[in-house]
Amino acid sequence: MPAASVQAVIDLAALRHNLEVVRRSAPGRRIMAVVKSQAYGHGEVAVARALEGRADALAVARAGEGVALREAGIQAPLVVLEGPGGPDELSACVRFGLQPTLHHASQIELLRGLSGQASLDCWLKCDTGMHRLGFAPEGLGGLWREVSALPAVASLRLMTHLACADDPRDPMTGEQLARMRAACAGLPAEQSIANSAGILAWPDSHADWVRPGLMLYGASPLAGRDAAGLDLRPVMTLSAPLIAVKALGAGEPVGYGATWRAPEDMPLGVAGIGYGDGYPREIAPGAQVLVNGMRVPVVGRVSMDMIALDLRGVEAAVGDRVVLWGEGLPVDEVAAWAGTIPYTLFCGVTARVPRRYRDESRGGEDGQGG
Ligand SMILES: *Cc1c(COP(=O)(O)O)cnc(C)c1O
């Protein structure tokens, strides 16, 4: 069972379980599973294959990501959340059957140039207050009618994005929902508003389509709520081998900058993972990993390829697995130690870390891929 090197095991049964949590949380709504940025670092092709036929659509940020999924054989409806960035990307949407999000006048101009032979299902993005992408709520109805009538547009749904849904007390979400309601009043079009936080904390945001990202991967999208309490299961378990165990004398330093010293004679471990794999150099003192199921502190600075561990009170030998996050150690805790969010930890796992896919519901065979 122990693998030689650092690896990220991706549990596809947990992914599907989390999809069911989405379904249960937003009953009867359609699900657009977000697989942008290599499915939050989990491997977009394997994740898309596991979700295809279960989610109603998949979403990526950029047209190129959609093309790559099509070329890998993914046939599910695919939404491009940032829409086409130019004529080439718009052509790619037509050729590969991608659904562009239209958030800017320049994209509407591109669409006008398409002949009626093109037939695109599109999304019109409304900026209800986040002020990132989208058209102002005032005038959205008129714009919807105008764009719907373009020869290349087969259908036009409506979308907005929430800025503060992770805090269930933040008044901004209610304001955004009210603006969306007013902007879309009377338009015969499906709507999509909720990300993971909206799905779990804001039932009024469920609309016709929900867009879960983070919760599919088993991290908590809500401030102050842990993933297990939301019945979310970790999908990625990042682990590395213990590559050295040694005796350290009292007062001896560890690592670059000699920032930490042994308070007494003690055993020290070195694990073969570092910031070159995506383990954050920014972790605070006291950050922990799992060694043989026990929590132990990381000591000294994170190197590119290694971290040092305080092994006092733990039975451990070279070759034992060290879990950085995942099963037994929530990524949300590691994110807090690093002063960041689980999104950046997932997306930051680098290309040199092999993803290994596990699927208990299919007999548990392991496979490389994605
Ligand atoms: C990334 C993204 C999502 C998913 O957000 P999570 O917080 O990961 O659930 C939904 N909608 C849009 C427009 C996004 O960019």
Side-chain angles (χ1 to χ4, degrees):
M1 210 192 57
S5 190
V6 57
Q7 63 175 7
V9 171
I10 309 299
D11 181 348
L12 297 174
L15 178 75
R16 291 197 206 93
H17 166 86
N18 296 337
L19 182 70
E20 291 314 309
V21 177
V22 173
R23 210 183 294 288
R24 205 199 303 146
S25 307
R29 314 307 164 104
R30 264 170 281 176
I31 301 175
M32 184 194 302
V34 181
V35 298
K36 64 191 179 190
S37 195
Q38 296 170 333
Y40 293 49
H42 291 64
E44 69 283 15
V45 174
V47 166
R49 282 194 190 126
L51 295 175
E52 195 168 33
R54 291 182 165 83
D56 300 282
L58 305 175
V60 290
R62 308 201 179 127
E65 295 179 303
V67 171
L69 284 175
R70 284 282 182 259
E71 286 176 339
I74 300 299
Q75 293 175 355
L78 259 174
V79 180
V80 180
L81 295 168
E82 288 180 8
D88 293 353
E89 290 189 2
L90 184 59
S91 312
C93 289
V94 175
R95 190 149 27 101
F96 292 94
L98 309 177
Q99 302 181 11
T101 305
L102 309 168
H103 63 79
H104 197 268
S106 57
Q107 295 171 322
I108 312 270
E109 284 313 305
L110 286 177
L111 263 186
R112 282 186 215 284
L114 281 186
S115 78
Q117 268 132 308
S119 169
L120 283 169
D121 292 312
C122 302
W123 295 78
L124 188 63
K125 182 110 182 229
C126 180
D127 177 3
T128 51
M130 185 171 185
H131 296 126
R132 203 171 56 174
L133 298 183
F135 296 96
E138 307 77 33
L140 192 80
L143 186 63
W144 182 87
R145 286 184 195 91
E146 193 187 322
V147 176
S148 295
L150 292 177
V153 175
S155 70
L156 187 60
R157 300 182 176 109
L158 296 156
M159 185 190 296
T160 193
H161 196 52
L162 300 173
C164 301
D166 59 319
D167 180 354
R169 292 170 319 252
D170 196 305
M172 180 153 173
T173 301
E175 290 160 18
Q176 286 194 272
L177 293 178
R179 283 188 204 116
M180 187 66 173
R181 213 174 299 122
C184 302
L187 298 179
E190 291 173 2
Q191 295 175 32
S192 176
I193 303 173
N195 56 1
S196 296
I199 290 164
L200 290 172
W202 299 90
D204 287 353
S205 73
H206 290 173
D208 300 292
W209 290 78
V210 294
R211 305 192 306 272
L214 188 72
M215 70 182 287
L216 289 175
Y217 306 102
S220 171
L222 299 180
R225 295 288 301 275
D226 63 64
L230 299 164
D231 191 28
L232 298 171
R233 283 166 48 186
V235 175
M236 176 192 294
T237 294
L238 180 66
S239 71
L242 208 50
I243 60 173
V245 175
K246 60 182 63 186
L248 201 61
E252 288 182 322
V254 171
Y256 286 116
T259 57
W260 188 87
R261 284 173 192 275
E264 58 183 323
D265 290 353
M266 58 171 277
L268 185 84
V270 178
I273 188 165
Y275 61 77
D277 305 292
Y279 190 74
R281 188 175 179 279
E282 296 76 15
I283 53 156
Q288 296 170 339
V289 300
L290 287 183
V291 178
N292 298 328
M294 307 241 321
R295 285 173 176 247
V296 310
V298 180
V299 294
R301 285 198 185 139
V302 174
S303 301
M304 188 183 292
D305 317 297
M306 284 171 261
I307 54 175
L309 307 174
D310 175 348
L311 289 182
R312 279 179 287 178
V314 179
E315 285 295 319
V318 166
D320 286 354
R321 294 305 293 176
V322 178
V323 171
L324 291 309
W325 62 69
E327 260 174 69
L329 186 60
V331 68
D332 305 283
E333 275 191 64
V334 184
W337 288 321
T340 186
I341 53 177
Y343 300 81
T344 70
L345 295 184
F346 285 153
C347 290
V349 176
T350 62
R352 83 167 166 182
V353 178
R355 275 66 165 173
R356 306 198 73 217
Y357 294 91
R358 193 174 72 196
D359 195 345
E360 273 159 34
S361 61
R362 293 191 182 152
E365 84 272 31
D366 281 24
Q368 302 269 339

